[in-house]
Amino acid sequence: MFVSQRRDAKAARRFFQKAIAETKVTPAEVVTDKAATYPVVLDELLPAAWHRTEQYANNHIEADHGRLKARLGPMRGLKQDRNARIVIAGHALVQNLRRGHYELAVEAPVRQRLAVAFDELALAI
């Protein structure tokens, strides 16, 4: 079966444009598979972005899902979309605090960063 390169490029362009528009973020790094249309479209839309195609390049992204799945396992999943949004947003906040992505507790040792950040947040409230 032959798949048109032109159609694939059009779909890839539409996908990346929609992702950039909805997130309002211009990524510095994009991880994809080795499809032939991606380099052309990414060079056009995001010329400064680093396009990674190595196998297992997205493992650090997938590793985050493991913790979330472990937390949701005993709960047998989430029954409502609203609950999913709340739990996923909270999980992302905690992960980002641990990694030092916010200006909260950046001076604290990594193992204590989360506790210090919550103490700082409690003072702000």
Side-chain angles (χ1 to χ4, degrees):
M1 180 168 116
F2 177 74
V3 178
S4 168
Q5 290 289 355
R6 178 174 283 152
R7 190 184 77 207
D8 287 346
K10 192 175 182 181
R13 186 175 297 103
R14 193 170 50 244
F15 169 77
F16 287 119
Q17 286 172 334
K18 184 176 179 183
I20 293 167
E22 286 187 13
T23 61
K24 296 177 179 63
V25 173
T26 302
E29 175 182 357
V30 179
V31 179
T32 68
D33 59 13
K34 295 181 181 179
T37 58
Y38 291 146
V40 175
V41 172
L42 287 172
D43 284 343
E44 175 189 318
L45 295 176
L46 302 166
W50 178 34
H51 182 206
R52 292 183 65 186
T53 58
E54 300 91 30
Q55 187 175 15
Y56 308 119
N58 68 341
N59 271 1
H60 64 282
I61 296 167
E62 295 297 327
D64 281 352
H65 295 124
R67 286 187 179 194
L68 184 59
K69 287 180 182 178
R71 185 169 288 150
L72 295 177
M75 297 169 57
R76 295 185 182 170
L78 298 166
K79 308 301 184 260
Q80 298 175 1
D81 287 343
R82 179 178 179 273
N83 295 345
R85 278 194 299 272
I86 292 168
V87 169
I88 291 169
H91 177 76
L93 172 71
V94 169
Q95 292 296 87
N96 288 337
L97 284 172
R98 282 188 178 137
R99 293 187 182 116
H101 292 305
Y102 302 124
E103 292 182 16
L104 294 168
V106 289
E107 314 82 35
V110 176
R111 290 195 163 283
Q112 296 174 350
R113 192 173 285 162
L114 191 59
V116 172
F118 274 102
D119 289 342
E120 288 180 23
L121 287 171
L123 290 174
I125 296 173

